[in-house]
Amino acid sequence: MIERPDSPVVGALHPSANFGERKGGAIPSILLLHYTGVESAAKAISWLSDPVSEVSCHYVVDEAGFVTQMVAEAKRAWHAGAGAWAGDTDINSSSIGIEIQNVGHAAGYPPFPDRQIAAVIALCRDIVARHHIRAERVLAHSDVAPSRKIDPGERFPWATLAAAGIGHWVPPAPVRADDTGVGLGTSGPFVAEMQTMLRNYGYAVMPSGHLDTATEFVITAFQRHFRPARVDGRIDQSTFATLQALSAALPAETMIT
Ligand SMILES: [Zn+2]
């Protein structure tokens, strides 16, 4: 059980029993952001510390920006579930998880308040600095589990975080109303090129050349994070160009070949 906070921005400890050891001596190399999807941070904290839930996270940030730590960073919290990033399929062992209070898409999905985002930025900045987490490994839950998860969603202000030095991001290419792109069921080299770029960036997708359901989920997750103006799972020129620019902005040694 956690006895002292890992970060100076923590306002309270609320220990959860739902954690284990990081497997294979993994150290945190991913910072994974979520929304709670429940009506209040208090309710989220209660659930995340209930042994029945079998879920937890390292930190919860409420709407006012108050930060509660639940699991020590050295331990493996249970927030990611099944997922993958850059070939890693045990995201819980390789990540630190932050739950950001928001009722979520099913209950109106309100904007994230500025003071909450300021607290998220301060917490992320501290975690990234202490663990040397690379910018392109500050991720959404939906990035690592695109077929199951949509949080923290397209209203999460990734651009604001990037302006504060958190995460990897480029300005999205403009969306054109007359370019609806191609969708589910499309095949061809264009689709394979998109899949290859997505895979090289870290998404779990096979370059089959066929825009199947799994690929549609990954494109949707990509759009939620990097091109939120239109989240439709289709490959349009803006989505393609945004991914190209994002990939080009990666340091070469981080590319998976
Ligand atoms: Zn989540």
Side-chain angles (χ1 to χ4, degrees), residues 32-37 79-80 98-99 140-142 145 148-152:
L32 199 66
L33 305 189
H34 305 256
Y35 68 42
T36 62
H79 54 97
I98 302 175
E99 288 279 0
H141 196 188
S142 50
R148 297 189 306 114
K149 295 293 176 178
I150 60 173
D151 64 302

Side-chain angles (χ1 to χ4, degrees), residues 33 43 76 87-88 138 143 146 149 204 229:
L33 305 189
K43 195 165 179 179
R76 181 179 181 274
D88 177 0
V138 179
D143 291 321
K149 295 293 176 178

Side-chain angles (χ1 to χ4, degrees), residues 37-86:
V38 297
E39 66 195 39
S40 70
K43 195 165 179 179
I45 289 167
S46 171
W47 180 243
L48 292 163
S49 54
D50 184 342
V52 171
S53 76
E54 299 189 326
V55 290
S56 64
C57 64
H58 295 92
Y59 297 99
V60 175
V61 182
D62 77 8
E63 298 100 323
F66 188 81
V67 180
T68 301
Q69 186 168 8
M70 305 194 68
V71 174
E73 289 178 2
K75 302 299 183 185
R76 181 179 181 274
W78 304 341
H79 54 97
W85 188 257

